[in-house]
PDB file of all heavy atoms in Angstrom:
ATOM      1  N   LEU A  11      67.586  -4.094 -30.885  1.00 93.00           N
ATOM      2  CA  LEU A  11      66.406  -4.491 -30.133  1.00 93.00           C
ATOM      3  C   LEU A  11      66.549  -5.837 -29.546  1.00 93.00           C
ATOM      4  O   LEU A  11      66.111  -6.037 -28.409  1.00 93.00           O
ATOM      5  CB  LEU A  11      65.168  -4.357 -30.996  1.00 93.00           C
ATOM      6  CG  LEU A  11      63.816  -4.680 -30.245  1.00 93.00           C
ATOM      7  CD1 LEU A  11      63.604  -3.694 -29.165  1.00 93.00           C
ATOM      8  CD2 LEU A  11      62.657  -4.645 -31.277  1.00 93.00           C
ATOM      9  N   LEU A  15      66.461  -6.668 -25.557  1.00 96.00           N
ATOM     10  CA  LEU A  15      65.417  -7.596 -24.902  1.00 96.00           C
ATOM     11  C   LEU A  15      66.174  -8.769 -24.294  1.00 96.00           C
ATOM     12  O   LEU A  15      65.743  -9.267 -23.187  1.00 96.00           O
ATOM     13  CB  LEU A  15      64.475  -8.094 -25.937  1.00 96.00           C
ATOM     14  CG  LEU A  15      63.434  -6.956 -26.389  1.00 96.00           C
ATOM     15  CD1 LEU A  15      62.601  -7.502 -27.540  1.00 96.00           C
ATOM     16  CD2 LEU A  15      62.481  -6.741 -25.205  1.00 96.00           C
ATOM     17  N   LEU A  18      67.172  -7.336 -21.060  1.00 97.00           N
ATOM     18  CA  LEU A  18      66.026  -7.213 -20.150  1.00 97.00           C
ATOM     19  C   LEU A  18      65.696  -8.378 -19.511  1.00 97.00           C
ATOM     20  O   LEU A  18      65.387  -8.445 -18.353  1.00 97.00           O
ATOM     21  CB  LEU A  18      64.855  -6.646 -21.007  1.00 97.00           C
ATOM     22  CG  LEU A  18      63.525  -6.422 -20.217  1.00 97.00           C
ATOM     23  CD1 LEU A  18      63.710  -5.305 -19.212  1.00 97.00           C
ATOM     24  CD2 LEU A  18      62.352  -6.214 -21.179  1.00 97.00           C
ATOM     25  N   GLY A  40      60.166 -11.123 -19.470  1.00 97.00           N
ATOM     26  CA  GLY A  40      61.144 -10.857 -20.550  1.00 97.00           C
ATOM     27  C   GLY A  40      61.053 -11.781 -21.746  1.00 97.00           C
ATOM     28  O   GLY A  40      61.224 -11.388 -22.863  1.00 97.00           O
ATOM     29  N   VAL A  41      60.894 -13.157 -21.353  1.00 98.00           N
ATOM     30  CA  VAL A  41      60.817 -14.185 -22.402  1.00 98.00           C
ATOM     31  C   VAL A  41      59.608 -13.824 -23.286  1.00 98.00           C
ATOM     32  O   VAL A  41      59.637 -13.949 -24.515  1.00 98.00           O
ATOM     33  CB  VAL A  41      60.685 -15.568 -21.777  1.00 98.00           C
ATOM     34  CG1 VAL A  41      60.350 -16.638 -22.798  1.00 98.00           C
ATOM     35  CG2 VAL A  41      62.010 -15.891 -21.111  1.00 98.00           C
ATOM     36  N   HIS A  42      58.401 -13.578 -22.650  1.00 98.00           N
ATOM     37  CA  HIS A  42      57.237 -13.280 -23.492  1.00 98.00           C
ATOM     38  C   HIS A  42      57.450 -12.115 -24.364  1.00 98.00           C
ATOM     39  O   HIS A  42      56.960 -11.971 -25.543  1.00 98.00           O
ATOM     40  CB  HIS A  42      56.069 -13.057 -22.522  1.00 98.00           C
ATOM     41  CG  HIS A  42      55.593 -14.213 -21.823  1.00 98.00           C
ATOM     42  ND1 HIS A  42      55.294 -15.461 -22.518  1.00 98.00           N
ATOM     43  CD2 HIS A  42      55.296 -14.454 -20.545  1.00 98.00           C
ATOM     44  CE1 HIS A  42      54.872 -16.284 -21.608  1.00 98.00           C
ATOM     45  NE2 HIS A  42      54.809 -15.844 -20.444  1.00 98.00           N
ATOM     46  N   LEU A  43      58.133 -11.050 -23.839  1.00 97.00           N
ATOM     47  CA  LEU A  43      58.343  -9.797 -24.633  1.00 97.00           C
ATOM     48  C   LEU A  43      59.232 -10.146 -25.751  1.00 97.00           C
ATOM     49  O   LEU A  43      58.975  -9.668 -26.891  1.00 97.00           O
ATOM     50  CB  LEU A  43      58.964  -8.722 -23.703  1.00 97.00           C
ATOM     51  CG  LEU A  43      58.045  -8.090 -22.656  1.00 97.00           C
ATOM     52  CD1 LEU A  43      58.882  -7.164 -21.750  1.00 97.00           C
ATOM     53  CD2 LEU A  43      56.922  -7.387 -23.247  1.00 97.00           C
ATOM     54  N   CYS A  44      60.323 -10.958 -25.522  1.00 97.00           N
ATOM     55  CA  CYS A  44      61.211 -11.321 -26.619  1.00 97.00           C
ATOM     56  C   CYS A  44      60.434 -12.021 -27.779  1.00 97.00           C
ATOM     57  O   CYS A  44      60.558 -11.689 -28.930  1.00 97.00           O
ATOM     58  CB  CYS A  44      62.323 -12.261 -26.106  1.00 97.00           C
ATOM     59  SG  CYS A  44      63.660 -11.460 -25.244  1.00 97.00           S
ATOM     60  N   GLY A  45      59.737 -13.092 -27.379  1.00 97.00           N
ATOM     61  CA  GLY A  45      58.972 -13.781 -28.387  1.00 97.00           C
ATOM     62  C   GLY A  45      57.987 -12.912 -29.180  1.00 97.00           C
ATOM     63  O   GLY A  45      58.008 -13.034 -30.370  1.00 97.00           O
ATOM     64  N   THR A  46      57.216 -12.213 -28.501  1.00 96.00           N
ATOM     65  CA  THR A  46      56.153 -11.448 -29.218  1.00 96.00           C
ATOM     66  C   THR A  46      56.606 -10.361 -30.026  1.00 96.00           C
ATOM     67  O   THR A  46      56.269 -10.159 -31.154  1.00 96.00           O
ATOM     68  CB  THR A  46      55.129 -10.933 -28.093  1.00 96.00           C
ATOM     69  OG1 THR A  46      54.597 -11.946 -27.291  1.00 96.00           O
ATOM     70  CG2 THR A  46      54.015 -10.247 -28.771  1.00 96.00           C
ATOM     71  N   LEU A  47      57.579  -9.597 -29.521  1.00 95.00           N
ATOM     72  CA  LEU A  47      58.030  -8.420 -30.246  1.00 95.00           C
ATOM     73  C   LEU A  47      59.089  -8.733 -31.358  1.00 95.00           C
ATOM     74  O   LEU A  47      59.151  -8.124 -32.389  1.00 95.00           O
ATOM     75  CB  LEU A  47      58.674  -7.403 -29.257  1.00 95.00           C
ATOM     76  CG  LEU A  47      57.732  -6.811 -28.255  1.00 95.00           C
ATOM     77  CD1 LEU A  47      58.424  -5.988 -27.261  1.00 95.00           C
ATOM     78  CD2 LEU A  47      56.625  -6.034 -28.925  1.00 95.00           C
ATOM     79  N   LEU A  48      59.842  -9.896 -31.189  1.00 95.00           N
ATOM     80  CA  LEU A  48      60.866 -10.249 -32.108  1.00 95.00           C
ATOM     81  C   LEU A  48      60.396 -11.278 -33.069  1.00 95.00           C
ATOM     82  O   LEU A  48      61.121 -11.506 -34.158  1.00 95.00           O
ATOM     83  CB  LEU A  48      62.153 -10.680 -31.406  1.00 95.00           C
ATOM     84  CG  LEU A  48      62.754  -9.631 -30.514  1.00 95.00           C
ATOM     85  CD1 LEU A  48      63.975 -10.282 -29.647  1.00 95.00           C
ATOM     86  CD2 LEU A  48      63.287  -8.408 -31.306  1.00 95.00           C
ATOM     87  N   GLY A  49      59.479 -12.055 -32.734  1.00 95.00           N
ATOM     88  CA  GLY A  49      58.990 -13.199 -33.560  1.00 95.00           C
ATOM     89  C   GLY A  49      59.722 -14.417 -33.184  1.00 95.00           C
ATOM     90  O   GLY A  49      60.509 -14.503 -32.203  1.00 95.00           O
ATOM     91  N   ALA A  50      59.358 -15.507 -33.803  1.00 96.00           N
ATOM     92  CA  ALA A  50      59.810 -16.869 -33.339  1.00 96.00           C
ATOM     93  C   ALA A  50      61.290 -17.076 -33.413  1.00 96.00           C
ATOM     94  O   ALA A  50      61.907 -17.353 -32.307  1.00 96.00           O
ATOM     95  CB  ALA A  50      59.127 -17.935 -34.148  1.00 96.00           C
ATOM     96  N   ARG A  52      63.891 -14.742 -34.036  1.00 96.00           N
ATOM     97  CA  ARG A  52      64.705 -13.754 -33.371  1.00 96.00           C
ATOM     98  C   ARG A  52      64.445 -13.794 -31.794  1.00 96.00           C
ATOM     99  O   ARG A  52      65.259 -13.567 -31.021  1.00 96.00           O
ATOM    100  CB  ARG A  52      64.466 -12.332 -33.886  1.00 96.00           C
ATOM    101  CG  ARG A  52      65.148 -12.225 -35.205  1.00 96.00           C
ATOM    102  CD  ARG A  52      65.076 -10.786 -35.820  1.00 96.00           C
ATOM    103  NE  ARG A  52      64.659  -9.762 -34.945  1.00 96.00           N
ATOM    104  CZ  ARG A  52      63.759  -8.814 -35.197  1.00 96.00           C
ATOM    105  NH1 ARG A  52      63.146  -8.867 -36.337  1.00 96.00           N
ATOM    106  NH2 ARG A  52      63.445  -7.840 -34.253  1.00 96.00           N
ATOM    107  N   GLY A  53      63.145 -14.080 -31.442  1.00 97.00           N
ATOM    108  CA  GLY A  53      62.919 -14.106 -30.050  1.00 97.00           C
ATOM    109  C   GLY A  53      63.510 -15.241 -29.309  1.00 97.00           C
ATOM    110  O   GLY A  53      64.134 -15.145 -28.233  1.00 97.00           O
ATOM    111  N   ALA A  96      59.664 -18.615 -25.932  1.00 98.00           N
ATOM    112  CA  ALA A  96      59.768 -17.418 -26.877  1.00 98.00           C
ATOM    113  C   ALA A  96      59.517 -17.822 -28.246  1.00 98.00           C
ATOM    114  O   ALA A  96      58.775 -17.096 -29.024  1.00 98.00           O
ATOM    115  CB  ALA A  96      61.197 -16.928 -26.731  1.00 98.00           C
ATOM    116  N   VAL A  99      55.472 -18.262 -28.610  1.00 97.00           N
ATOM    117  CA  VAL A  99      54.806 -16.967 -28.460  1.00 97.00           C
ATOM    118  C   VAL A  99      55.144 -16.146 -29.687  1.00 97.00           C
ATOM    119  O   VAL A  99      54.245 -15.482 -30.309  1.00 97.00           O
ATOM    120  CB  VAL A  99      55.286 -16.215 -27.229  1.00 97.00           C
ATOM    121  CG1 VAL A  99      54.764 -14.811 -27.169  1.00 97.00           C
ATOM    122  CG2 VAL A  99      54.792 -16.970 -25.974  1.00 97.00           C
ATOM    123  N   GLY A 100      56.372 -16.284 -30.185  1.00 97.00           N
ATOM    124  CA  GLY A 100      56.704 -15.457 -31.413  1.00 97.00           C
ATOM    125  C   GLY A 100      56.085 -15.972 -32.661  1.00 97.00           C
ATOM    126  O   GLY A 100      55.597 -15.167 -33.532  1.00 97.00           O
ATOM    127  N   ALA A 103      52.461 -14.740 -32.613  1.00 94.00           N
ATOM    128  CA  ALA A 103      52.335 -13.344 -32.919  1.00 94.00           C
ATOM    129  C   ALA A 103      52.602 -13.149 -34.433  1.00 94.00           C
ATOM    130  O   ALA A 103      51.860 -12.227 -34.999  1.00 94.00           O
ATOM    131  CB  ALA A 103      53.378 -12.535 -32.095  1.00 94.00           C
ATOM    132  N   PHE A 108      48.554  -9.414 -32.971  1.00 92.00           N
ATOM    133  CA  PHE A 108      48.699  -8.909 -31.578  1.00 92.00           C
ATOM    134  C   PHE A 108      47.280  -8.885 -30.931  1.00 92.00           C
ATOM    135  O   PHE A 108      47.113  -8.038 -30.081  1.00 92.00           O
ATOM    136  CB  PHE A 108      49.415  -7.670 -31.480  1.00 92.00           C
ATOM    137  CG  PHE A 108      50.912  -7.764 -31.612  1.00 92.00           C
ATOM    138  CD1 PHE A 108      51.479  -8.273 -32.711  1.00 92.00           C
ATOM    139  CD2 PHE A 108      51.666  -7.426 -30.466  1.00 92.00           C
ATOM    140  CE1 PHE A 108      52.906  -8.330 -32.743  1.00 92.00           C
ATOM    141  CE2 PHE A 108      53.082  -7.504 -30.582  1.00 92.00           C
ATOM    142  CZ  PHE A 108      53.651  -7.995 -31.714  1.00 92.00           C
ATOM    143  N   LEU A 113      47.469 -13.479 -27.912  1.00 96.00           N
ATOM    144  CA  LEU A 113      48.597 -13.300 -27.052  1.00 96.00           C
ATOM    145  C   LEU A 113      48.437 -14.091 -25.785  1.00 96.00           C
ATOM    146  O   LEU A 113      49.318 -14.732 -25.398  1.00 96.00           O
ATOM    147  CB  LEU A 113      48.901 -11.749 -26.845  1.00 96.00           C
ATOM    148  CG  LEU A 113      49.392 -11.027 -28.046  1.00 96.00           C
ATOM    149  CD1 LEU A 113      49.517  -9.497 -27.598  1.00 96.00           C
ATOM    150  CD2 LEU A 113      50.642 -11.566 -28.612  1.00 96.00           C
ATOM    151  N   MET A 117      50.884 -17.194 -24.875  1.00 98.00           N
ATOM    152  CA  MET A 117      51.756 -17.058 -23.669  1.00 98.00           C
ATOM    153  C   MET A 117      51.389 -18.132 -22.669  1.00 98.00           C
ATOM    154  O   MET A 117      52.347 -18.635 -22.020  1.00 98.00           O
ATOM    155  CB  MET A 117      51.651 -15.602 -23.110  1.00 98.00           C
ATOM    156  CG  MET A 117      52.268 -14.547 -23.947  1.00 98.00           C
ATOM    157  SD  MET A 117      52.053 -12.947 -23.222  1.00 98.00           S
ATOM    158  CE  MET A 117      52.714 -11.854 -24.558  1.00 98.00           C
ATOM    159  N   ALA A 162      52.615  -8.744 -19.894  1.00 97.00           N
ATOM    160  CA  ALA A 162      53.301  -8.878 -21.144  1.00 97.00           C
ATOM    161  C   ALA A 162      52.340  -8.469 -22.305  1.00 97.00           C
ATOM    162  O   ALA A 162      52.751  -7.858 -23.253  1.00 97.00           O
ATOM    163  CB  ALA A 162      53.861 -10.295 -21.311  1.00 97.00           C
ATOM    164  N   LEU A 165      52.039  -4.690 -22.323  1.00 96.00           N
ATOM    165  CA  LEU A 165      53.172  -4.063 -22.845  1.00 96.00           C
ATOM    166  C   LEU A 165      53.362  -4.326 -24.368  1.00 96.00           C
ATOM    167  O   LEU A 165      53.803  -3.450 -25.047  1.00 96.00           O
ATOM    168  CB  LEU A 165      54.411  -4.557 -22.115  1.00 96.00           C
ATOM    169  CG  LEU A 165      54.537  -4.078 -20.640  1.00 96.00           C
ATOM    170  CD1 LEU A 165      55.635  -4.802 -19.862  1.00 96.00           C
ATOM    171  CD2 LEU A 165      54.815  -2.592 -20.558  1.00 96.00           C
ATOM    172  N   CYS A 166      53.194  -5.538 -24.729  1.00 94.00           N
ATOM    173  CA  CYS A 166      53.405  -5.843 -26.145  1.00 94.00           C
ATOM    174  C   CYS A 166      52.420  -5.097 -27.019  1.00 94.00           C
ATOM    175  O   CYS A 166      52.803  -4.582 -28.149  1.00 94.00           O
ATOM    176  CB  CYS A 166      53.249  -7.374 -26.372  1.00 94.00           C
ATOM    177  SG  CYS A 166      54.626  -8.286 -25.777  1.00 94.00           S
ATOM    178  N   ARG A 167      51.141  -5.067 -26.640  1.00 92.00           N
ATOM    179  CA  ARG A 167      50.218  -4.271 -27.435  1.00 92.00           C
ATOM    180  C   ARG A 167      50.581  -2.799 -27.513  1.00 92.00           C
ATOM    181  O   ARG A 167      50.310  -2.178 -28.518  1.00 92.00           O
ATOM    182  CB  ARG A 167      48.831  -4.579 -26.928  1.00 92.00           C
ATOM    183  CG  ARG A 167      48.293  -5.942 -27.243  1.00 92.00           C
ATOM    184  CD  ARG A 167      46.915  -6.262 -26.696  1.00 92.00           C
ATOM    185  NE  ARG A 167      45.892  -5.354 -26.935  1.00 92.00           N
ATOM    186  CZ  ARG A 167      45.138  -5.388 -28.042  1.00 92.00           C
ATOM    187  NH1 ARG A 167      45.302  -6.333 -28.959  1.00 92.00           N
ATOM    188  NH2 ARG A 167      44.184  -4.443 -28.253  1.00 92.00           N
ATOM    189  N   ARG A 168      51.015  -2.347 -26.406  1.00 93.00           N
ATOM    190  CA  ARG A 168      51.463  -0.870 -26.344  1.00 93.00           C
ATOM    191  C   ARG A 168      52.747  -0.594 -27.195  1.00 93.00           C
ATOM    192  O   ARG A 168      52.829   0.431 -27.832  1.00 93.00           O
ATOM    193  CB  ARG A 168      51.686  -0.487 -24.917  1.00 93.00           C
ATOM    194  CG  ARG A 168      52.176   0.891 -24.687  1.00 93.00           C
ATOM    195  CD  ARG A 168      51.018   1.835 -24.848  1.00 93.00           C
ATOM    196  NE  ARG A 168      51.471   3.147 -24.529  1.00 93.00           N
ATOM    197  CZ  ARG A 168      50.748   4.088 -24.276  1.00 93.00           C
ATOM    198  NH1 ARG A 168      49.510   4.000 -24.150  1.00 93.00           N
ATOM    199  NH2 ARG A 168      51.275   5.292 -24.045  1.00 93.00           N
ATOM    200  N   LEU A 169      53.659  -1.520 -27.248  1.00 93.00           N
ATOM    201  CA  LEU A 169      54.906  -1.370 -27.933  1.00 93.00           C
ATOM    202  C   LEU A 169      54.892  -1.735 -29.425  1.00 93.00           C
ATOM    203  O   LEU A 169      55.759  -1.305 -30.187  1.00 93.00           O
ATOM    204  CB  LEU A 169      56.052  -2.087 -27.224  1.00 93.00           C
ATOM    205  CG  LEU A 169      56.416  -1.681 -25.807  1.00 93.00           C
ATOM    206  CD1 LEU A 169      57.391  -2.734 -25.240  1.00 93.00           C
ATOM    207  CD2 LEU A 169      57.071  -0.324 -25.944  1.00 93.00           C
ATOM    208  N   GLN A 170      53.928  -2.522 -29.818  1.00 89.00           N
ATOM    209  CA  GLN A 170      53.850  -3.016 -31.119  1.00 89.00           C
ATOM    210  C   GLN A 170      53.842  -1.938 -32.200  1.00 89.00           C
ATOM    211  O   GLN A 170      54.591  -1.946 -33.070  1.00 89.00           O
ATOM    212  CB  GLN A 170      52.668  -3.911 -31.325  1.00 89.00           C
ATOM    213  CG  GLN A 170      52.603  -4.561 -32.576  1.00 89.00           C
ATOM    214  CD  GLN A 170      51.223  -4.468 -33.321  1.00 89.00           C
ATOM    215  OE1 GLN A 170      50.320  -3.902 -32.774  1.00 89.00           O
ATOM    216  NE2 GLN A 170      51.154  -5.024 -34.515  1.00 89.00           N
ATOM    217  N   LYS A 171      53.016  -0.976 -32.097  1.00 88.00           N
ATOM    218  CA  LYS A 171      52.770   0.092 -33.079  1.00 88.00           C
ATOM    219  C   LYS A 171      54.073   0.880 -33.277  1.00 88.00           C
ATOM    220  O   LYS A 171      54.548   1.034 -34.388  1.00 88.00           O
ATOM    221  CB  LYS A 171      51.641   0.925 -32.846  1.00 88.00           C
ATOM    222  CG  LYS A 171      50.321   0.270 -33.100  1.00 88.00           C
ATOM    223  CD  LYS A 171      49.129   1.016 -32.878  1.00 88.00           C
ATOM    224  CE  LYS A 171      47.898   0.311 -33.079  1.00 88.00           C
ATOM    225  NZ  LYS A 171      46.631   0.960 -32.722  1.00 88.00           N
ATOM    226  N   LEU A 173      57.174   0.191 -32.486  1.00 89.00           N
ATOM    227  CA  LEU A 173      58.269  -0.655 -32.963  1.00 89.00           C
ATOM    228  C   LEU A 173      58.068  -1.079 -34.476  1.00 89.00           C
ATOM    229  O   LEU A 173      58.950  -1.146 -35.246  1.00 89.00           O
ATOM    230  CB  LEU A 173      58.452  -1.872 -32.085  1.00 89.00           C
ATOM    231  CG  LEU A 173      59.010  -1.649 -30.701  1.00 89.00           C
ATOM    232  CD1 LEU A 173      59.012  -2.929 -29.833  1.00 89.00           C
ATOM    233  CD2 LEU A 173      60.412  -1.051 -30.785  1.00 89.00           C
ATOM    234  N   ARG A 174      56.806  -1.367 -34.769  1.00 87.00           N
ATOM    235  CA  ARG A 174      56.497  -1.684 -36.158  1.00 87.00           C
ATOM    236  C   ARG A 174      56.777  -0.500 -37.115  1.00 87.00           C
ATOM    237  O   ARG A 174      57.241  -0.723 -38.218  1.00 87.00           O
ATOM    238  CB  ARG A 174      55.036  -2.228 -36.311  1.00 87.00           C
ATOM    239  CG  ARG A 174      54.756  -2.703 -37.753  1.00 87.00           C
ATOM    240  CD  ARG A 174      53.404  -3.344 -37.869  1.00 87.00           C
ATOM    241  NE  ARG A 174      53.558  -4.709 -37.351  1.00 87.00           N
ATOM    242  CZ  ARG A 174      52.484  -5.493 -37.104  1.00 87.00           C
ATOM    243  NH1 ARG A 174      51.313  -5.039 -37.225  1.00 87.00           N
ATOM    244  NH2 ARG A 174      52.743  -6.710 -36.753  1.00 87.00           N
ATOM    245  N   LEU A 178      60.803  -2.720 -36.654  1.00 80.00           N
ATOM    246  CA  LEU A 178      61.487  -3.632 -35.695  1.00 80.00           C
ATOM    247  C   LEU A 178      60.613  -4.693 -35.183  1.00 80.00           C
ATOM    248  O   LEU A 178      61.126  -5.715 -34.583  1.00 80.00           O
ATOM    249  CB  LEU A 178      61.935  -2.802 -34.537  1.00 80.00           C
ATOM    250  CG  LEU A 178      63.040  -1.731 -34.884  1.00 80.00           C
ATOM    251  CD1 LEU A 178      63.309  -0.919 -33.671  1.00 80.00           C
ATOM    252  CD2 LEU A 178      64.182  -2.312 -35.422  1.00 80.00           C
ATOM    253  N   CYS A 179      59.376  -4.667 -35.325  1.00 79.00           N
ATOM    254  CA  CYS A 179      58.470  -5.635 -34.688  1.00 79.00           C
ATOM    255  C   CYS A 179      57.709  -6.462 -35.751  1.00 79.00           C
ATOM    256  O   CYS A 179      57.550  -6.081 -36.950  1.00 79.00           O
ATOM    257  CB  CYS A 179      57.345  -4.817 -33.942  1.00 79.00           C
ATOM    258  SG  CYS A 179      56.311  -5.816 -32.892  1.00 79.00           S
ATOM    259  N   VAL A 180      57.454  -7.725 -35.326  1.00 74.00           N
ATOM    260  CA  VAL A 180      56.697  -8.621 -36.223  1.00 74.00           C
ATOM    261  C   VAL A 180      55.346  -8.142 -36.595  1.00 74.00           C
ATOM    262  O   VAL A 180      54.788  -7.321 -35.930  1.00 74.00           O
ATOM    263  CB  VAL A 180      56.650  -9.992 -35.638  1.00 74.00           C
ATOM    264  CG1 VAL A 180      58.070 -10.613 -35.559  1.00 74.00           C
ATOM    265  CG2 VAL A 180      55.838 -10.079 -34.402  1.00 74.00           C
TER     266      VAL A 180
END
Side-chain angles (χ1 to χ4, degrees):
L11 180 62
L15 286 170
L18 182 65
V41 170
H42 290 312
L43 292 173
C44 282
T46 305
L47 296 174
L48 298 174
R52 286 183 18 224
V99 171
F108 280 64
L113 292 176
M117 289 179 191
L165 288 171
C166 287
R167 289 177 52 88
R168 178 76 179 198
L169 292 170
Q170 183 228 2
K171 286 180 185 173
L173 289 175
R174 184 173 278 166
L178 297 175
C179 188
V180 297

